[in-house]
Amino acid sequence: MRHADLCFYTIKKLRRSSVSTPSWGGVVLLGLYASSLYNFLLFHTLVEIFSVIVGFVIFVLAWNTRTLQENHYLLFLGIASLFTGALEMVHAFTYKGFGVFPGHDADLPTQLWIAFRYVFSLSFLVAPLFITRTLNVAKMIAV
């Protein structure tokens, strides 16, 4: 079986799945709601990890399609998403009660969250410059 036929077969098989995607979304939302009632730290960590995963997926998509892109706008946003995701993960680990970085108060996670938002916002502010300019990836990763 060719690769294209295998992919088509897999997609066709997924469409005939007995459980639809919206019902999975409802199960996830109910699970998040239940975790928020049980333990706020667990809920906060789950939501932060999901956000970090989304940032890493954006990076992977932008990185793997960099040869197909006509400009470096999306590549810049993808690399920025990688670094903001890492910063957000550090924020999640410094949350009070998590215990990864002992000996700090609630000020450190707040400062990291603000830094994450600033970096994320500045990335979207600077990204349109790379519609017409080329991006030096090595310099961006070094900075």
Side-chain angles (χ1 to χ4, degrees):
M1 189 179 273
R2 291 183 336 191
H3 179 69
D5 293 336
L6 183 63
C7 291
F8 180 72
Y9 174 74
T10 305
I11 292 170
K12 194 174 177 182
K13 188 176 177 182
L14 287 173
R15 286 185 184 161
R16 286 185 283 164
S17 174
S18 60
V19 180
S20 65
T21 303
S23 62
W24 278 111
V27 169
V28 168
L29 287 176
L30 283 174
L32 284 174
Y33 178 70
S35 70
S36 73
L37 295 176
Y38 175 71
N39 186 348
F40 179 75
L41 183 59
L42 174 64
F43 169 74
H44 183 261
T45 304
L46 289 173
V47 170
E48 293 285 347
I49 287 173
F50 176 75
S51 180
V52 168
I53 289 171
V54 168
F56 289 161
V57 167
I58 290 171
F59 166 73
V60 168
L61 288 173
W63 186 259
N64 288 326
T65 61
R66 69 186 182 279
T67 57
L68 304 173
Q69 298 172 12
E70 294 179 12
N71 56 43
H72 289 160
Y73 175 80
L74 290 176
L75 182 61
F76 178 82
L77 286 179
I79 294 171
S81 293
L82 174 70
F83 286 105
T84 56
L87 192 58
E88 189 172 12
M89 189 166 40
V90 172
H91 156 73
F93 289 154
T94 59
Y95 201 74
K96 185 178 178 183
F98 203 77
V100 174
F101 299 108
H104 65 80
D105 56 354
D107 196 33
L108 180 61
T110 305
Q111 290 174 352
L112 286 170
W113 185 80
I114 291 171
F116 155 69
R117 290 295 171 191
Y118 270 120
V119 170
F120 197 65
S121 301
L122 289 174
S123 299
F124 274 95
L125 185 67
V126 172
L129 295 175
F130 294 102
I131 292 174
T132 57
R133 299 179 184 168
T134 58
L135 174 66
N136 188 340
V137 176
K139 283 184 182 178
M140 182 177 176
I141 292 176
V143 171

